[in-house]
């Protein structure tokens, strides 16, 4: 097979994705009106698939912080932190994050994907063992693959499946890294972190939790599911992103282990990537301040999540297992997903379409992510659009 | 004579048949009997999620743990049987 022939199957998939009208993987938002409204193909559209949980992308203080940083520090850093130096704001953000999570060490990466790749490829090596929740994000799988460690999966959120594997490992369990997420991104369900922490302590393993979707969403202070479950001090490595609740772009890890400071020297995705631009760092720092100072944002988010979940549930639609800011509507196997998703878009509602194998259980889903910035009227329009399907 | 390897391979065939049936995948009748050369992806168009699900079924049936980084050359029933055989040998 010639080098480029492999793309024939991709072309065929792309043609199928676009056959019903708009290809859901190629939506262009021509104009943004607010964190939850835009213009798509000339039509006013409510954005219900942004992961903009706190709605901070247009927050005046965050926007002003980003503009000021551009004025004072320029548009980019033009290099990696190891080779070209860090800006003071990079290290300040690392201190902000450590302070927020009440942990001694913090490290910033250029994207959430790079954070997982950078942490895992440095933390575990060939000969080490990883036990990973089967529904974990691709970035966690890719990081494990890059590390060359032995990689075993346990059934999603299944403590007995995890313990069975820890038992099988015997003494090797002490040299094992467990990986879960806080809130899972497709169905919005959360990990039983208290139980996972109990197992990791009993077997002497280490635990990495990806709180990408749960930062700013769960916990008394918005630190995530580990905080909500009362085990935040027990997580060895907590990773997350700036591209959801914090409305920017980037990733991070915080940890009680001083070895996090040494990961800077061995993590290739950290060493060989340009550092985040000043405006991103500045708006992220401000968004973190907003998250801490305005718990009402989280209250509004949850009120909106409850309204959408209950509204769609009242229509008799099969939803994800628990109320959360990710509301996933499951399609039956005989419901064609692409044409239905196009009908939603044409009704002025943009959701994320998850189809196998990207969905976790073989079903297709319309994934809605709720924002604190959604108005009651917008939520009613989303529910009405689903009712008209 | 039935060797241990044959037994492993036959068990994987049975597991695959019941996985296809329980998943509502229609390909089994069209494909006919599952053989050692049956390729999970090209013969049954299993997607990556379904392959992962099936591997989990295999792990539970044989009471083993399959290293996800060790499967790049295991596409057919026969190749999977070799992986299982090696794990049971340990």
């Amino acid at each position: 097979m010639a080098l480029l022939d492999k793309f024939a199957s991709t072309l065929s998939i792309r043609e199928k994705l676009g056959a019903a009208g708009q290809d859901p993987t190629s939506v262009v938002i021509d104009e943004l009106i607010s964190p939850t409204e835009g213009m798509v193909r000339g039509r006013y559209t409510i954005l219900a698939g942004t992961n903009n949980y706190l709605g901070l992308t247009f927050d005046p203080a965050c926007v002003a912080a980003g503009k000021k940083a551009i004025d004072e520090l320029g548009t980019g850093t033009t290099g990696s932190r190891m080779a070209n130096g860090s800006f003071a704001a990079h290290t300040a953000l690392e201190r902000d994050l450590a302070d927020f999570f009440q942990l001694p060490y913090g490290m910033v990466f250029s994207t959430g994907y790079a954070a997982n790749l950078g942490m895992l490829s440095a933390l575990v090596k060939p000969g080490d063992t990883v036990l990973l929740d089967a529904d974990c994000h691709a970035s966690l799988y890719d990081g494990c693959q890059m590390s060359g460690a032995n990689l075993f999966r346990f059934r999603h959120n299944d403590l007995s499946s995890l313990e069975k594997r820890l038992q099988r490992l015997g003494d090797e369990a002490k040299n094992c890294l467990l990986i879960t997420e806080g809130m899972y991104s497709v169905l919005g369900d959360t990990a039983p972190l208290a139980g996972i922490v109990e197992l990791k302590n009993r077997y002497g393993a280490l635990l990495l939790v990806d709180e990408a979707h749960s930062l700013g969403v769960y916990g008394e202070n918005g630190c995530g599911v580990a905080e909500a479950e009362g085990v935040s001090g027990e997580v060895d490595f907590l990773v997350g992103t700036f591209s959801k609740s914090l409305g920017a772009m980037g990733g991070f890890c915080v940890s009680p282990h001083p070895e996090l400071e040494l990961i800077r020297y061995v993590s290739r995705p950290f060493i060989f990537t340009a550092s985040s631009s000043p405006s991103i760092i500045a708006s992220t720092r401000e968004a973190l301040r907003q998250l801490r100072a305005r718990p009402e944002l989280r209250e509004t988010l949850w009120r909106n999540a409850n309204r959408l979940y209950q509204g769609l549930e009242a229509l008799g639609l099969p939803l994800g297992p628990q109320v959360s800011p990710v509301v996933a509507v499951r399609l039956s196997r005989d419901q064609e997903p692409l044409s239905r998703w196009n009908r939603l878009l044409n009704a002025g509602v943009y959701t994320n379409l998850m189809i196998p194998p990207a969905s976790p259980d073989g079903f297709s889903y319309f994934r809605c992510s709720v924002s604190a910035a959604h108005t009651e009227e917008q939520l009613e329009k989303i529910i009405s659009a689903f009712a008209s399907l | 004579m039935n060797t241990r390897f044959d037994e492993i391979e036959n068990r994987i065939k049975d597991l695959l048949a019941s996985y296809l049936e329980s998943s509502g995948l229609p390909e089994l009748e069209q494909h006919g009997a599952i053989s050692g050369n049956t390729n999970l992806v090209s013969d049954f168009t299993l997607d990556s999620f379904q392959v992962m699900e099936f591997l989990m079924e295999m792990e539970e049936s044989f009471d083993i743990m399959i290293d996800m980084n060790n499967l790049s050359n295991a596409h057919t029933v026969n190749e999977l049987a070799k992986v299982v055989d090696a794990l049971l040998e340990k």
Side-chain angles (χ1 to χ4, degrees):
Chain A
M1 186 170 78
L3 198 67
L4 299 179
D5 287 352
K6 67 173 80 67
F7 292 104
S9 59
T10 310
L11 177 63
S12 163
I13 290 169
R14 190 177 72 171
E15 284 169 355
K16 283 178 192 160
L17 287 171
Q22 171 67 51
D23 171 354
T25 65
S26 306
V27 174
V28 175
I29 299 162
D30 295 309
E31 186 187 336
L32 271 170
I33 300 165
S34 75
T36 54
E37 304 159 287
M39 297 299 290
V40 178
R41 302 171 84 183
R43 182 181 287 113
Y44 169 83
T45 302
I46 296 168
L47 305 176
T50 60
N51 302 326
N52 193 355
Y53 298 117
L54 300 183
L56 288 174
T57 46
F58 283 84
D59 178 82
C62 295
V63 171
K67 285 179 177 172
K68 184 168 181 279
I70 287 182
D71 287 341
E72 293 177 357
L73 299 165
T75 54
T77 63
T78 65
S80 74
R81 292 174 64 183
M82 294 291 271
N84 297 42
S86 295
F87 285 17
H90 291 116
T91 54
L93 177 55
E94 287 171 340
R95 288 194 300 275
D96 290 348
L97 288 162
D99 179 63
F100 176 56
F101 287 98
Q102 298 186 346
L103 289 167
Y105 304 102
M107 183 173 171
V108 166
F109 294 83
S110 296
T111 66
Y113 183 86
N116 281 337
L117 230 58
M119 284 304 301
L120 291 169
S121 62
L123 263 181
V124 286
K125 294 291 174 191
D128 295 332
T129 299
V130 172
L131 292 180
L132 172 88
D133 184 291
D135 282 7
C136 275
H137 189 261
S139 57
L140 295 164
Y141 275 93
D142 291 354
C144 292
Q145 202 161 32
M146 189 173 170
S147 76
N150 305 318
L151 173 61
F152 306 105
R153 300 172 317 143
F154 59 93
R155 283 198 185 276
H156 175 53
N157 278 352
D158 186 332
L159 292 174
S160 63
S161 173
L162 171 58
E163 180 160 23
K164 201 170 177 185
R165 281 154 180 74
L166 285 165
Q167 284 170 345
R168 278 189 194 138
L169 287 175
D171 285 344
E172 180 61 19
K174 294 189 185 71
N175 187 34
C176 171
L177 179 69
L178 314 183
I179 303 178
T180 73
E181 297 185 17
M183 177 170 79
Y184 284 85
S185 62
V186 178
L187 299 185
D189 52 336
T190 54
L193 283 182
I196 290 170
V197 162
E198 193 276 317
L199 285 174
K200 86 118 190 168
N201 286 337
R202 184 142 48 95
Y203 286 87
L206 294 178
L207 173 63
L208 181 147
V209 178
D210 185 345
E211 299 263 24
H213 286 269
S214 25
L215 169 67
V217 172
Y218 279 90
E220 189 182 348
N221 299 298
C223 292
V225 174
E227 184 190 34
E229 295 234 339
V231 293
S232 43
E234 307 270 0
V235 174
D236 296 283
F237 298 97
L238 190 153
V239 291
T241 180
F242 308 145
S243 61
K244 296 177 173 62
S245 284
L246 298 177
M249 183 183 173
F252 70 90
C253 178
V254 290
S255 172
H257 298 286
E259 286 80 3
L260 184 65
E261 289 299 314
L262 302 176
I263 281 178
R264 297 175 195 276
Y265 295 87
V266 295
S267 171
R268 294 173 66 85
F270 175 79
I271 296 168
F272 297 105
T273 309
S275 57
S276 299
S277 66
S279 60
I280 283 176
I281 296 293
S283 77
T284 299
R285 291 189 71 198
E286 182 55 39
L288 190 58
R289 275 192 284 272
Q290 297 289 326
L291 186 161
R292 299 178 83 165
R294 295 165 64 194
E296 65 272 20
L297 287 173
R298 206 154 47 255
E299 288 163 18
T300 307
L301 170 66
W302 277 99
R303 190 167 60 244
N304 287 350
N306 273 295
R307 175 65 197 114
L308 184 61
Y309 193 97
Q310 285 159 9
L312 295 177
E313 193 175 43
L315 296 176
L317 297 170
L319 305 178
Q322 65 191 80
V323 178
S324 89
V326 171
V327 182
V329 179
R330 193 182 75 218
L331 276 70
S332 64
R333 292 196 195 279
D334 60 349
Q335 289 177 320
E336 205 287 304
L338 289 162
S339 58
R340 284 173 176 268
W341 178 86
N342 265 276
R343 278 161 59 191
L344 271 183
L345 187 67
N346 292 335
V349 173
Y350 171 68
T351 62
N352 309 128
L353 177 62
M354 314 302 290
I355 53 179
S359 55
D361 57 3
F363 285 92
S364 294
Y365 286 89
F366 295 136
R367 174 190 180 275
C368 306
S369 58
V370 182
S371 172
H374 278 124
T375 63
E376 285 179 27
E377 187 187 4
Q378 289 167 4
L379 293 169
E380 296 311 316
K381 281 184 181 169
I382 296 169
I383 294 164
S384 296
F386 273 97
S388 68
L389 277 182
Chain B
M1 192 176 73
N2 240 13
T3 63
R4 186 179 78 160
F5 185 83
D6 292 330
E7 286 172 18
I8 292 169
E9 195 176 80
N10 286 333
R11 197 149 131 205
I12 293 174
K13 289 176 193 170
D14 292 342
L15 282 170
L16 182 56
S18 55
Y19 177 76
L20 291 166
E21 196 177 340
S22 66
S23 304
L25 294 167
E27 289 95 335
L28 190 57
E29 279 181 27
Q30 297 162 18
H31 178 76
I34 296 170
S35 75
N37 292 326
T38 296
N39 184 306
L40 268 59
V41 175
S42 60
D43 286 333
F44 289 115
T45 61
L46 295 187
D47 62 35
S48 55
F49 169 79
Q50 290 163 327
V51 170
M52 289 294 166
E53 270 289 299
F54 177 63
L55 290 172
M56 198 76 95
E57 303 274 335
M58 278 177 52
E59 285 182 318
E60 281 164 13
S61 174
F62 288 101
D63 198 22
I64 54 172
M65 297 206 301
I66 299 173
D67 185 347
M68 293 296 109
N69 284 336
N70 204 16
L71 286 169
S72 53
N73 293 318
H75 306 294
T76 66
V77 168
N78 181 270
E79 288 160 353
L80 284 172
K82 285 177 185 165
V83 171
V84 174
D85 191 39
L87 286 168
L88 293 175
E89 193 70 42
K90 283 183 181 173

